[in-house]
Amino acid sequence: MMLLIVAAAAAILFTAATVVGAQVYHVVGEDRGWDPSTDVASWSSKRVFSVGDKIWFTYSAGQESLVELRNEEDFTSCDVTNPINMYTDGLDTISLEGEGIRYFASGNSESCKNGLKIPVKIQAKEQNMAQNVGSRAVADGPTLPSDSTNLNGLSYLLVVGLSVCLLGL
């Protein structure tokens, strides 16, 4: 009986931890990704970014790249010649640590000038939680080829499997 209580408590704590303190994963451009045909400005205007969230950029590595620019001036003018960071993998996950504004743009200056760029204003988690109680949704991550792992489902199976093992069922 004690094992059943421990297993149930572990499952409840696990679920609470994934919901209450969950990071939000923002997939830029949703299904279309980081692409010149995507209206990323409209996409980003509907998002609230908090410290600890992650932002995913998906794109065709042969045709696009991603840069993080130093300041608003470089962002506005699409000066991509001296970025803070350059990403070229096609699936880039960036942790949003610290409050402030980060500037992301296409590594191709023409794509940037055509609107493939977003400023990301990062708020304190507490400030964001107070403003948006119940209004945030945790997005699914970008999809990889069919052999990718669904961590939420895997975690659930792990908890159920451990419970079965502990209970000897």
Side-chain angles (χ1 to χ4, degrees):
M1 181 66 171
M2 183 59 124
L3 289 176
L4 179 60
I5 294 171
V6 170
I12 291 169
L13 288 174
F14 174 78
T15 303
T18 60
V19 173
V20 174
Q23 297 173 334
V24 176
Y25 293 87
H26 304 275
V27 181
V28 177
E30 296 171 349
D31 292 340
R32 300 187 86 181
W34 183 250
D35 184 84
S37 66
T38 304
D39 184 2
V40 293
S42 176
W43 173 87
S44 67
S45 70
K46 299 172 187 167
R47 301 290 182 274
V48 177
F49 303 98
S50 295
V51 172
D53 288 355
K54 294 192 183 296
I55 188 167
W56 276 326
F57 292 86
T58 60
Y59 53 92
S60 174
Q63 298 174 354
E64 269 303 330
S65 63
L66 172 71
V67 293
E68 182 174 359
L69 300 173
R70 296 182 182 284
N71 53 46
E72 186 176 9
E73 182 180 332
D74 289 351
F75 177 78
T76 302
S77 67
C78 288
D79 181 357
V80 297
T81 59
N82 193 21
I84 297 171
N85 293 305
M86 179 175 277
Y87 305 92
T88 58
D89 293 340
L91 178 59
D92 300 304
T93 303
I94 299 169
S95 296
L96 301 179
E97 299 174 6
E99 295 177 53
I101 301 176
R102 294 175 69 177
Y103 300 97
F104 296 97
S106 169
N108 175 329
S109 62
E110 287 305 311
S111 292
C112 178
K113 289 175 184 172
N114 288 325
L116 193 53
K117 60 182 180 176
I118 58 170
V120 176
K121 182 179 180 186
I122 307 160
Q123 300 178 1
K125 186 151 296 275
E126 300 80 31
Q127 176 185 358
N128 187 24
M129 297 287 267
Q131 289 177 350
N132 298 297
V133 174
S135 68
R136 291 182 54 164
V138 177
D140 290 333
T143 57
L144 293 174
S146 60
D147 62 330
S148 66
T149 302
N150 180 337
L151 293 179
N152 289 337
L154 182 61
S155 299
Y156 176 75
L157 289 175
L158 181 62
V159 169
V160 170
L162 285 174
S163 298
V164 168
C165 289
L166 289 173
L167 295 174
L169 300 176

